[in-house]
């Protein structure tokens, strides 16, 4: 995503796109989407309770990508299976009671 964002920004600034404003906005949006998993991972590492939502959203976004790879067929099927397995496994770990307890989320927890 970051690479595509850089390309879109470059084309928007130095190239000749149909709409420079749209290319630049798209590039910035892709940079932000590329930063989301990194910010969520850092928050989880630091035990921040807000980070579970963005981490789950990232895993949910990976599932349609896996389906698209699977639909492509050929060698992409292996990549699709690996991506889907990783997304499902991480999602399961994020909602695991041990993880929710470590993040201070769940029944019986007091607001911090």
């Amino acid at each position: 995503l970051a690479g595509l964002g850089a390309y879109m920004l470059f084309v928007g600034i130095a190239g000749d796109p149909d709409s420079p404003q749209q290319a630049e906005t798209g590039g910035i949006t892709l940079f932000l989407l590329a930063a989301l998993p990194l910010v969520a991972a850092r928050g989880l590492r630091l035990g921040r309770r807000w980070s579970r939502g963005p981490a789950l959203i990232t895993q949910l976004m990976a599932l349609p990508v896996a389906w698209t790879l699977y639909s492509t067929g050929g060698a992409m099927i292996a990549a699709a299976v690996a991506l889907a397995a990783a997304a499902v496994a991480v999602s399961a770990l994020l909602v695991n009671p041990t993880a929710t307890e470590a993040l201070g989320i769940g029944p019986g927890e007091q607001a911090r």
Side-chain angles (χ1 to χ4, degrees):
L1 286 175
L4 183 58
Y7 173 75
M8 287 181 73
L9 276 174
F10 177 75
V11 168
I13 294 170
D16 188 25
D18 292 335
S19 171
Q21 183 181 11
Q22 186 176 8
E24 293 163 4
T25 303
I28 292 169
T29 301
L30 287 176
F31 270 128
L32 293 174
L33 286 174
L36 178 66
L38 300 175
V39 172
R42 179 165 165 75
L44 285 172
R45 183 168 176 84
L46 296 175
R48 305 289 193 249
R49 51 191 316 177
W50 58 263
S51 60
R52 189 173 81 153
L56 279 170
I57 290 169
T58 301
Q59 302 314 309
L60 291 174
M61 288 178 5
L63 292 174
V65 173
W67 178 255
T68 302
L69 289 173
Y70 181 79
S71 298
T72 302
M76 290 294 145
I77 291 176
V81 169
L83 179 60
V88 169
V90 171
S91 296
L93 290 172
L94 285 169
V95 297
N96 184 321
T98 305
T100 57
E101 182 180 324
L103 293 172
I105 303 170
E109 294 292 331
Q110 296 293 328
R112 292 183 188 181

